[in-house]
């Protein structure tokens, strides 16, 4: 991985201490791709459109990943990053409501485009967000400062939990944004809640020219979190 083509920001919330790489890229905006499933999940829950177990029937279309080619719930769609489910969510809720909530959340540039963009605005734009803006949004989420109710916060955490260890829980989402020219954009964002001590928030993006780069997102970030003492890496 080329350090000049990636950026990482980790913040310890109790004192605001920051660890970062490539500051020049931290404020550069990119499409959020599937990291937008974090706010989209919260919107689906908060509006009453869906609970974690809401059923989404697969239409039989063979898509890129086998895990997508089956019926889903909101929770499984988040876990498998099933794009078609979130396209249905955005289409059903509507671009005006989705845009209003992204503004309430102060998520990136808030832009969802025109009505015809309702199923692609987080994949192809105009929605865009920087590493620093991801951290700011996730900080508000981790601190329970978003304008959502308690039930949404609890259900959202249950869906977004990616890992646990002795004394900590990790909530996270990857993202993969395709580009017509140049390398694809990869993301890994989230936060760590310890049983005791400070919470940590992180966001990482990188150019992904190949499969090797795609596979590096999670282990690279987790290695940094472990070195900082936020998590403990598990033995293989």
């Amino acid at each position: 991985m080329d350090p000049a083509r990636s950026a990482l920001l980790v913040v310890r919330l109790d004192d605001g201490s920051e660890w970062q790489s490539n500051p020049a890229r931290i404020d550069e905006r990119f499409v959020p791709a599937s990291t937008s499933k974090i706010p989209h999940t919260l919107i689906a829950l908060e509006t009453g459109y869906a609970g974690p177990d809401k059923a989404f029937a697969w239409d039989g279309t063979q898509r890129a990943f086998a895990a997508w080619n089956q019926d889903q719930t909101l929770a499984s769609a988040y876990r498998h990053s099933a794009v078609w489910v979130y396209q249905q969510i955005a289409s059903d809720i509507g671009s005006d409501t989705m845009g209003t909530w992204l503004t309430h959340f102060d998520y990136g540039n808030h832009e969802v485009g025109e009505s015809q963009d309702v199923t692609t605005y987080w994949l192809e734009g105009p929605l865009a967000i920087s590493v620093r803006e991801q951290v700011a949004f996730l900080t508000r989420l981790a601190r329970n400062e978003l304008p959502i109710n308690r039930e949404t916060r609890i259900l959202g955490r249950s869906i977004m939990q990616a890992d646990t260890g002795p004394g900590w829980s990790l909530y996270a989402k990857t993202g993969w944004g395709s580009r017509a020219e140049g390398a694809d954009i990869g993301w890994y964002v989230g936060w760590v809640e310890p049983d005791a001590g400070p919470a940590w928030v992180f966001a990482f993006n990188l150019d992904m020219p190949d499969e090797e780069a795609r596979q590096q997102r999670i282990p690279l970030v987790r290695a940094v979190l472990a070195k900082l003492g936020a998590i403990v890496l598990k033995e293989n």
Side-chain angles (χ1 to χ4, degrees), residues 150-212:
R150 182 174 180 273
E151 183 179 11
T152 295
R153 292 197 298 269
I154 293 171
L155 293 176
R157 277 171 166 76
S158 71
I159 292 170
M160 296 168 194
Q161 187 173 74
D163 199 3
T164 60
W168 55 268
S169 296
L170 171 67
Y171 305 87
K173 190 72 193 72
T174 56
W176 180 358
S178 298
R179 292 195 289 192
E181 297 181 2
D184 292 347
I185 295 295
W187 287 97
Y188 188 54
V189 308
W191 75 100
V192 180
E193 289 186 355
D195 292 347
W200 304 75
V201 177
F202 63 89
F204 174 64
N205 73 26
L206 76 163
D207 291 356
M208 298 194 306
D210 51 33
E211 176 65 16
E212 181 181 1

Side-chain angles (χ1 to χ4, degrees), residues 20-170:
Q20 57 182 257
S21 68
N22 195 6
R25 181 169 166 136
I26 282 174
D27 293 306
E28 185 176 354
R29 284 172 167 168
F30 300 92
V31 293
S34 284
T35 64
S36 69
K37 289 183 173 68
I38 295 177
H40 287 178
T41 297
L42 297 175
I43 294 167
L45 293 169
E46 183 69 14
T47 59
Y49 172 83
D53 298 324
K54 177 180 171 65
F56 294 88
W58 178 46
D59 62 4
T61 301
Q62 292 292 322
R63 296 178 172 88
F65 301 100
W68 294 7
N69 300 325
Q70 57 189 6
D71 293 348
Q72 304 283 343
T73 63
L74 181 62
S76 73
Y78 182 92
R79 184 170 63 254
H80 297 313
S81 208
V83 171
W84 66 267
V85 173
Y86 282 84
Q87 289 178 319
Q88 181 177 330
I89 291 170
S91 182
D92 288 349
I93 292 176
S95 58
D96 288 346
T97 300
M98 297 298 286
T100 295
W101 276 103
L102 292 177
T103 300
H104 289 334
F105 292 164
D106 194 19
Y107 186 82
N109 64 3
H110 315 165
E111 295 182 15
V112 299
E114 305 299 327
S115 59
Q116 65 267 25
D117 303 316
V118 71
T119 60
T120 59
Y121 65 80
W122 65 94
L123 301 168
E124 302 173 4
L127 185 62
I129 194 167
S130 68
V131 164
R132 191 176 303 280
E133 289 170 329
Q134 291 266 25
V135 166
F137 165 72
L138 292 166
T139 295
R140 293 190 293 275
L141 177 54
R143 287 177 167 166
N144 297 327
E145 294 174 349
L146 291 179
I148 55 179
N149 65 47
R150 182 174 180 273
E151 183 179 11
T152 295
R153 292 197 298 269
I154 293 171
L155 293 176
R157 277 171 166 76
S158 71
I159 292 170
M160 296 168 194
Q161 187 173 74
D163 199 3
T164 60
W168 55 268
S169 296
L170 171 67

